[in-house]
Structure formats: C-alpha cells, structure tokens
Amino acid sequence: QKEVEQDPGPLSVPEGAIVSLNCTYSNSAFQYFMWYRQYSRKGPELLMYTYSSGNKEDGRFTAQVDKSSKYISLFIRDSQPSDSATYLCAMREGGGADGLTFGKGTHLIIQP
Amino acid sequence: DTEVTQTPKHLVMGMTNKKSLKCEQHMGHRAMYWYKQKAKKPPELMFVYSYEKLSINESVPSRFSPECPNSSLLNLHLHALQPEDSALYLCASSQDVSVESLFGPGTRLTVT
C-alpha cells in the first residue's frame, strides 16, 4: 500500500508566523522524501529533499523525517505572502524504477 | 541548464486530433516521467522511462503513447482523447530513479 495522508486545508496564518505542514504514510519501504511547492496552474517546484530519517534546513525551510512514526514535516519560518501556495509531500521507495507517491497537498494562505 | 522544459504551454484539441507533447532536459538525468494532474488533485504517475526504456506504464489508456527518442527528450503522443483527459500534463526528470525529481512547468491540455 502506498497511501500518503496530507490535510488539504486551507491553512491560513498571519505573515511572519511559523508554518507547520505534515504528512503521514503507511508504506515502510519509502526512503526518499520530498516537499514541493505549487502555485496555481504551474508545475511543482522542489523545495526540500531528504533521504531516510533526520532533519534538513535550507534558509527559512526545515524538513523533518521520522521513519519510526512514518511522519514527515515541513516548517516555514518568517512566512511571507509569497509563500501562499499548495505544498505537496512526495515520497518513493527507491532502488528501482519508481515514480513519486504524492499527498493530496495542503493549500497554504499567508495573510499580509 | 538546470531545468525541465515543456512545449507547448497550452494545447486545445478535438477528440479526433493527433498531437504531441514534448519535454526536454539537459542535466544528464537518466530517468524521465510523465504525470497527469487534474485541478485540485496531486500529480498521478503515467509513465517512467529509465535509461530510455519504458519501465513503468500505470495502466494508461492506449490513446496516450510515450516515446523517448534519446536521453534528453521525452514525448507524449495523443490520439482520440476524451474531454475527461483535459488536465495539466507534467514532465519530470531525475538523475536516477532514486533521487529527487525536477518538474517542468506543464502543458495545460483541453480536449473539446
């Protein structure tokens, strides 16, 4: 089973707030975890990529993976109105020809 | 060159037409993918090419025909489509099938 659960929102927060986005999954074989940002009518833009468990930070973005809990998170610090978009988590097993399994996406709104 | 390009950006076609979508990358990526995305839904995997060979076909109807002429190009040939095939068609590539995928901007297809 390759189901990935993600709350579709919308999630509305004031500018400057810390945003927490999450996904849970059931397939313990997933090893590669990604977060994409997608603006309306555009292709997904890769934000963060993590292999296995751990944390990764890039500017205002932090990705966390907890494989024991099958839970991944994306934190956005000092949120800006330009961060308003749909955020998709995605994952794959790896080790073979395998496409990405996506969550439904969370629609994030940053209020000025 | 660190991006995936797709042409055309928009396409309107009748149900009896034959058209092709094109995707190109010059990053040396050896895996390329076609995804279909309906409004407010996550991308759904259609095809995976690994080292120019079709490795995954997710039970896609035969009216969609992929082609990988070389390691930089990926085409999707369309014939006798239905109105419900209207969607954003996304191409992606990755260095191999175990690392992150980069997406193109997509082709917005409308079938009339």
Side-chain angles (χ1 to χ4, degrees):
Chain A
Q1 188 180 5
K2 295 189 176 184
E3 191 174 63
V4 177
E5 299 288 341
Q6 184 177 9
D7 186 341
L11 174 63
S12 183
V13 301
E15 183 176 355
I18 296 175
V19 175
S20 173
L21 304 168
N22 311 293
C23 289
T24 60
Y25 62 94
S26 55
N27 182 359
S28 58
F30 284 138
Q31 298 186 69
Y32 301 88
F33 304 91
M34 282 140 274
W35 285 95
Y36 289 87
R37 176 174 64 194
Q38 187 171 27
Y39 294 109
S40 181
R41 305 175 76 83
K42 303 289 186 185
E45 171 193 1
L46 180 67
L47 285 177
M48 300 289 284
Y49 161 67
T50 310
Y51 169 68
S52 194
S53 285
N55 293 357
K56 188 172 183 179
E57 187 173 323
D58 185 1
R60 296 186 295 115
F61 298 93
T62 299
Q64 290 184 351
V65 174
D66 182 349
K67 288 191 69 179
S68 63
S69 302
K70 298 189 180 66
Y71 187 88
I72 70 171
S73 301
L74 177 71
F75 298 95
I76 307 174
R77 291 182 297 281
D78 187 25
S79 55
Q80 306 293 313
S82 58
D83 295 327
S84 299
T86 295
Y87 289 79
L88 295 150
C89 65
M91 45 200 80
R92 63 153 51 100
E93 293 180 15
D98 194 9
L100 292 172
T101 300
F102 283 88
K104 286 184 166 52
T106 298
H107 182 206
L108 175 65
I109 301 168
I110 307 297
Q111 304 160 340
Chain B
D1 191 352
T2 58
E3 62 178 3
V4 176
T5 59
Q6 288 186 245
T7 55
K9 287 190 170 66
H10 303 275
L11 178 63
V12 179
M13 61 185 291
M15 288 189 284
T16 58
N17 292 156
K18 285 185 182 181
K19 296 285 185 184
S20 296
L21 309 184
K22 296 187 186 303
C23 173
E24 194 165 356
Q25 56 86 16
H26 296 286
M27 295 176 281
H29 289 179
R30 302 314 299 266
M32 297 184 76
Y33 313 79
W34 281 114
Y35 289 82
K36 173 183 177 180
Q37 187 177 27
K38 302 282 276 185
K40 300 190 187 303
K41 299 288 187 185
E44 295 176 1
L45 183 66
M46 300 175 72
F47 302 104
V48 179
Y49 272 84
S50 177
Y51 290 85
E52 298 154 57
K53 290 190 180 354
L54 183 64
S55 59
I56 291 182
N57 175 342
E58 291 284 3
S59 303
V60 178
S62 60
R63 57 186 184 267
F64 296 91
S65 175
E67 179 197 18
C68 190
N70 60 55
S71 59
S72 299
L73 293 174
L74 185 66
N75 298 321
L76 186 62
H77 303 298
L78 314 172
H79 174 53
L81 294 193
Q82 304 297 308
E84 59 264 29
D85 296 321
S86 298
L88 181 68
Y89 286 84
L90 294 161
C91 175
S93 70
S94 61
Q95 189 173 357
D96 61 41
V97 293
S98 298
V99 295
E100 71 274 22
S101 293
L102 297 179
F103 281 83
T107 293
R108 185 156 299 280
L109 174 68
T110 302
V111 181
T112 60

